[in-house]
Amino acid sequence: MRDASKLPDEIRNRVEVVEGSHGDDRVIGQALNEADALFWIAPPDVTRTPDEVYLDFTRPAADAIRANRVKRVVSVTALGRGTRWQDRAGLVTASMKMDDMLMETGAAFRGLAMPSFMDNMLRQAVSIRDQGLMFGPEDPDRKAPTTATRDMGAVAARLLS
């Protein structure tokens, strides 16, 4: 984790903490030493290109997975694999390339392709509260499924155990 002081004591006493960014080759290498499973998520960064966010960030992890012979990887990915747009869909395309990189490590891989995260709606909390409106590229007459990060975490934990 980036700042171990933020971890509650009851959790700190049950885990080994490696402090730093999981995009750093030294940190991820240390974190995966003797690990047999990894939950992977590339954090959003609007200041970088999709390939930088997903591929450059994940490359050290792929190397560490191989070096440490990690057996299982569960990753948060995007919907869109197998569609006619998969090779030109920005973040979705980069996310699928990230999956391919992780699959090439030899670890058993599962990608959690979730609909939009409920947490992302929080960016519009003021608009929803004050105006009763949400904004986005979706057709308002279509269903827009969402996923709670808690539910995603529960599925990932089950797949990794």
Side-chain angles (χ1 to χ4, degrees):
M1 72 182 297
R2 292 179 195 264
D3 183 355
S5 69
K6 293 182 178 180
L7 193 62
D9 288 338
E10 65 270 11
I11 294 173
R12 186 179 298 112
N13 296 331
R14 297 183 355 223
V15 299
E16 292 178 43
V17 176
V18 176
E19 199 166 25
S21 170
H22 61 295
D24 179 305
D25 59 346
R26 182 192 57 76
V27 172
I28 193 67
Q30 181 183 355
L32 292 183
N33 183 35
E34 298 186 25
D36 47 320
L38 171 66
F39 174 67
W40 186 254
I41 186 166
D45 185 345
V46 296
T47 67
R48 306 179 97 195
T49 69
D51 280 356
E52 288 172 336
V53 169
Y54 287 96
L55 303 179
D56 293 350
F57 191 83
T58 302
R59 200 164 282 110
D63 293 341
I65 291 165
R66 280 188 202 88
N68 291 287
R69 295 187 175 110
V70 175
K71 294 178 180 117
R72 294 179 316 282
V73 175
V74 172
S75 176
V76 175
T77 186
L79 295 168
R81 187 174 289 276
T83 66
R84 64 179 188 232
W85 303 284
Q86 75 177 22
D87 62 339
R88 59 185 185 282
L91 292 170
V92 170
T93 301
S95 178
M96 287 185 283
K97 289 179 185 177
M98 175 190 71
D99 298 342
D100 293 340
M101 182 186 301
L102 293 169
M103 285 187 271
E104 290 167 3
T105 66
F109 176 83
R110 291 301 275 291
L112 299 179
M114 304 297 192
S116 183
F117 298 141
M118 287 180 180
D119 304 51
N120 292 340
M121 289 184 191
L122 293 176
R123 296 181 190 137
Q124 298 193 44
V126 172
S127 168
I128 294 167
R129 183 191 65 224
D130 295 349
Q131 301 169 359
L133 298 173
M134 289 179 56
F135 299 91
E138 297 84 12
D139 180 340
D141 295 324
R142 299 187 96 175
K143 289 183 179 182
T146 57
T147 300
T149 53
R150 175 187 302 190
D151 294 339
M152 176 185 59
V155 170
R158 196 169 56 246
L159 290 170
L160 290 169
S161 60

